[in-house]
Each structure stands twice: as structure tokens, then as C-alpha cells.
Amino acid sequence: MAHLEVKPKNTAPWWLWILLSLIALGLVLYFINRYNSDTKLDDPTPDTSLSATASGGDTLATTVPNWNSVDFNSAESTDPNITDKDIRVRSSDAYMIYSLGENILFATDQNTIQSSSEAKLSQISTALDKDFKGAYIGVYGNTDSTGTASHNKQLGIERATAVKDWLVNQGHIAKDKISVQSRGENSPVADNETPGGRNQNRNVEIVVFRNK
């Protein structure tokens, strides 16, 4: 009888199984990390600040306002604390806007507040302290289109900062409640081609959000 030789089955070497196991483990860890990253991106956590408390114990707004939501075409309004006719007052349900022309606050192309305008800023700071104590305040600098856009943007920042510093140092408004915004020449309210229009476009606007 012929002798049949049976060859054993070929088996993969041991190191190949270890390599495949490491690859599989790496893929599992990759997908776990990817899932965790996507979850963090989708987390709609709001941007909030520390809550402030008024002297009477009422908690004020804790969420920093969206400064881009301000409508500077809000309706004309009045404030019993404001008697100076150079101060323009507008309001909405969410905020009050106090405006002063830059020619009142500053000399031409300067960013130092003129002493003659301090009484006007004093009226505004009194209104802020009396009716909006602890509320968020945004100071916006606006310019005309004379000069370069970058120069006007910087000038708007410098003038808004000067008003902020005055409100903090002389008006005793909390520094951490005031932010500075510059719209430069980008939001004219009148025609920049005329002297009168350019004069209207040069102003500083103080926006205060009502306490919630």
C-alpha cells in the first residue's frame, strides 16, 4: 500500500497576529477620540460672565451682551437725568444709547477729552449710576471717511477708550463693565461728502444694556 504524506496546514506566524491586534486597537482608540472631539464641538455652552449683584440684592444680567446686535437707528428718547441738549438719547427695550459729537469731546483729529465736555459726560455717568448700576456698557467710536480706513478705525478706538477712561476715573463706573468698540468710518449717519455730514458722522456713542 502506498504511503500518503499529509502536509500540515500553513499557519500565520505569531508576530502577525500581534501586529493585527495592535492595528485593531489603534483604530478603536482613533474612533473613540474622534467621537469625543465631535461632542465637544457641538456643545452649545453660552459665553457668560460672573453674575453681579446690585445693592438691593437683585441679580443683574450675567450674560455679556451681543454688541453687534445694537440698532443705532433706535427711536429717539429722553432721560430725566439728561438736560444738556448736546446729548442725544435713543432707546429700545434692551438698551439706552447716549451720543455726543466728537467736536464736543475732542479737538480735530485728537483723542484727548476737552475740559469743556466734562460736564456733559458727568450727566451721562450720573444717569448710568442712578438707573443702570452694574449694567454692561459699550463705548463706540465713530469717524468720518477723511483719511485711511485703518487710521479712522484706530482713531475710533482711541476716542472710545478716552471716554471709557473718563467714565471709570471720574464717573466711577466699574472698569470691568465697560467695553470699547470702534466702527471707524463704516457706519455713517450722514453724507461724508459734505462738511455737515462729516460732522454728524464723528461721534461717540455710549450704549448701556438694561439690567435683567
Side-chain angles (χ1 to χ4, degrees), residues 74-116:
S74 297
E76 298 289 334
S77 184
T78 58
D79 183 327
N81 302 293
I82 304 297
T83 58
D84 194 308
K85 296 187 181 302
D86 286 332
I87 304 172
R88 182 186 180 193
V89 181
R90 286 160 289 159
S91 68
S92 74
D93 292 338
Y95 44 78
M96 294 280 287
I97 304 173
Y98 302 91
S99 301
L100 273 171
E102 66 85 34
N103 59 311
I104 297 171
L105 291 169
F106 308 99
T108 302
D109 206 36
Q110 299 298 309
N111 57 18
T112 302
I113 292 176
Q114 301 182 110
S115 58
S116 58

Side-chain angles (χ1 to χ4, degrees), residues 72 140-143 153 181-187 203 205:
F72 289 93
Y140 292 75
N142 299 285
T143 70
K153 185 77 172 179
Q181 322 286 330
S182 175
R183 299 195 297 166
E185 63 183 53
N186 295 326
S187 301
N203 61 73
E205 296 173 296

